[in-house]
Amino acid sequence: MTTSVDDTHDPALSSWVESANDPGTDVPIQNLPFGRFRRAGEARYRIGVAIGDQIVDLEHARLLSTDDMNDFMRAGAPARTALRHSLSQRLRDGSAQQSAIQASLVPMAAVEMGLPCRIGDYTDFYTSIHHATNVGRQFRPEAPLLPNYKWVPIGYHGRASSIIASGESIRRPRGQSKRPDDETPHVGPSARLDYELELGIVVGAPNALGEPIPLDDAEAHIFGLALFNDWTARDLQVWEYQPLGPFLSKNFASTLSPWLVTMEALAPFRAPFRRPAGDPSPLPYLDAAANRAAGALDIALEVWLQTSTMRNAGTPPQRLMQSNFRDSYWTVAQLITHHTINGCNLRAGDLLGSGTQSGPEPGQGGSLLELTLGGKQPLQLADGEMRGFLEDGDTVILRGHCARAGFRRVGFGDCAGTIVA
Ligand code: MN
């Protein structure tokens, strides 16, 4: 478990990159997330680390000898932590290497961010018991949670080809659906398009086929976390999902944010993993002292919406809800261990979605399905517009950050996408 706090987390550290010292920044010198960027007209993405409003080009700075993020991720925690310490030294105020590395800085405003790596296999989990209960209640009011929920981290295999970078548009999907009163299904554009507020957990070091990853080793296989929007067509979903689960209602697009916040950067924001009184303890393979003590992560999550009407009026995005990954029913380590208990091999660049992160309170649903009770109670926005589900022109932005007294705030940047007809 990555819990050790060292001099790279010192809240007193400041950087000679001035913008990194802004108290509101997502990327102070204590964060140092990894991503891939290119200038306009460049075909090739390069690996960079964010610092304030700048990016360190790692190959140009001769800090990495590869431009293949997946190769670097595969090397696991030792290579990553060594680079973190080296960057922290070079970027801090008073560093003797300032002038050497200055030439390798690229302004964020001058580049396009891609996906942080080549995404391999993609699995989506369902770790928020509040989301599972809210959704289950709409379909099975008498028994919202299925009997396996508190024992098995529920997941399904998704599709990687349609995982897209933040900022790319989402074309409204067409598909088959059937309204309750219709005799037969019809095909057409989804009328109940939704977002899902999730974290993406990206695998670094792989495991061999046939070799399960024990819980205490699980986090050594995680490179970092990003924000993930698992766009969903609810009308397609409700018609297609039985008996094998999600299919075309999900695989038309999923948006991943550009920066991978490493497990090292998240070390100060660990929290105990707790189950409500009366709930079963996890089976032994999903239980360990370290996971109980600090397996959870305190990550504040938010969904923001800007409609085309708001954009045309110059109105900034409006926050729709807030939740926290601390409330997840399973930890990231438990997801890795459960995924490999049967011997399944994970590879560098594989992506695990956390599932929609809803909080325990009303108004903390991580999807419109929950916030509007399946469209029955549309949200009234500040400018008077109503939303049951997403309209063309709507931009959805996911945001996330960690904050704790005695530490610098660490954030994830935006995960944004706009619906087009
Ligand atoms: Mn999902």
Side-chain angles (χ1 to χ4, degrees):
M1 201 135 291
T2 320
T3 53
S4 64
V5 168
D6 56 36
D7 69 297
T8 66
H9 303 98
D10 182 351
L13 268 190
S14 57
S15 173
W16 49 261
V17 178
E18 266 311 311
S19 54
N21 304 323
D22 178 336
T25 184
D26 275 353
V27 275
I29 192 171
Q30 290 82 359
N31 190 348
L32 304 175
F34 290 81
R36 294 195 303 169
F37 68 96
R38 66 182 176 192
R39 287 196 172 86
E42 286 180 344
R44 186 175 77 98
Y45 281 103
R46 291 176 283 165
I47 306 177
V49 162
I51 174 90
D53 60 6
Q54 303 290 310
I55 300 171
V56 183
D57 181 335
L58 293 181
E59 206 179 5
H60 186 274
R62 298 173 186 272
L63 291 168
L64 259 192
S65 56
T66 177
D67 66 351
D68 187 318
M69 181 76 99
N70 295 61
D71 277 350
F72 173 59
M73 294 167 74
R74 197 172 295 117
R80 188 175 68 239
T81 46
L83 190 46
R84 174 180 173 85
H85 281 269
S86 169
L87 280 166
S88 177
Q89 290 291 341
R90 286 159 203 258
L91 291 167
R92 64 182 66 174
D93 261 329
S95 166
Q97 284 116 340
Q98 174 174 347
S99 56
I101 205 164
Q102 205 136 27
S104 302
L105 288 186
V106 183
M108 273 186 198
V111 304
E112 169 197 350
M113 299 301 302
L115 285 169
C117 62
R118 288 190 313 279
I119 306 297
D121 284 308
Y122 156 48
T123 304
D124 200 23
F125 283 96
Y126 199 52
T127 69
S128 166
I129 195 169
H130 308 297
H131 172 69
T133 305
N134 292 341
V135 173
R137 194 178 288 127
Q138 294 187 21
F139 300 99
R140 298 174 302 275
E142 68 296 342
L145 272 190
L146 292 169
N148 57 3
Y149 189 85
K150 294 182 177 179
W151 297 96
V152 187
I154 302 293
Y156 71 95
H157 282 132
R159 186 163 183 89
S161 66
S162 51
I163 295 174
I164 56 177
S166 180
E168 287 190 46
S169 299
I170 289 82
R171 193 178 298 182
R172 180 176 297 272
R174 289 170 56 81
Q176 197 182 124
S177 59
K178 189 181 99 56
R179 288 175 289 254
D181 299 333
D182 290 348
E183 208 153 287
T184 56
H186 67 280
V187 66
S190 170
R192 292 162 69 89
L193 187 54
D194 201 355
Y195 56 79
E196 291 191 339
L197 167 63
E198 306 199 15
L199 278 168
I201 300 142
V202 182
V203 174
N207 65 307
L209 182 62
E211 291 183 13
I213 300 173
L215 192 60
D216 280 333
D217 297 344
E219 285 195 9
H221 294 266
I222 299 175
F223 184 89
L225 270 50
L227 298 169
F228 185 60
N229 187 338
D230 179 22
W231 305 95
T232 302
R234 299 297 175 196
D235 41 359
L236 277 54
Q237 182 181 28
V238 74
W239 175 232
E240 75 172 4
Y241 84 105
Q242 287 174 322
L244 285 184
F247 182 38
L248 301 175
S249 58
K250 297 277 193 181
N251 70 6
F252 57 93
S254 321
T255 304
L256 188 65
S257 62
W259 295 107
L260 296 176
V261 177
T262 63
M263 298 310 290
E264 289 73 41
L266 296 171
F269 310 104
R270 312 296 313 212
F273 166 74
R274 291 204 186 95
R275 282 282 162 83
D279 277 17
S281 291
L283 290 174
Y285 78 102
L286 293 175
D287 192 20
N291 188 66
R292 265 178 264 137
L297 287 163
D298 184 343
I299 304 174
L301 299 168
E302 301 173 343
V303 176
W304 297 68
L305 175 69
Q306 188 182 44
T307 68
S308 59
T309 304
M310 291 162 74
R311 193 160 40 246
N312 293 337
T315 309
Q318 174 181 343
R319 189 169 63 199
L320 298 186
M321 60 74 72
Q322 294 172 274
S323 65
N324 195 301
F325 189 53
R326 208 179 38 209
D327 293 323
S328 168
Y329 202 74
W330 302 99
T331 66
V332 292
Q334 287 169 324
L335 300 185
I336 294 281
T337 293
H338 181 68
H339 205 309
T340 61
I341 179 67
N342 65 348
C344 177
N345 52 330
L346 298 177
R347 296 182 289 199
D350 283 0
L351 173 68
L352 313 185
S354 64
T356 309
Q357 295 301 306
S358 302
E361 307 296 330
Q364 289 193 308
S367 62
L368 285 174
L369 177 70
E370 294 160 82
L371 292 181
T372 69
L373 295 178
K376 287 200 279 286
Q377 290 181 14
L379 292 179
Q380 180 158 26
L381 305 177
D383 68 353
E385 291 182 271
M386 305 297 286
R387 278 298 176 279
F389 289 96
L390 295 171
E391 306 273 340
D392 294 344
D394 283 357
T395 299
V396 177
I397 305 161
L398 312 184
R399 292 184 180 146
H401 74 273
C402 303
R404 187 180 155 197
F407 290 94
R408 279 298 300 270
R409 175 189 190 281
V410 160
F412 285 76
D414 285 4
C415 180
T418 301
I419 307 300
V420 298

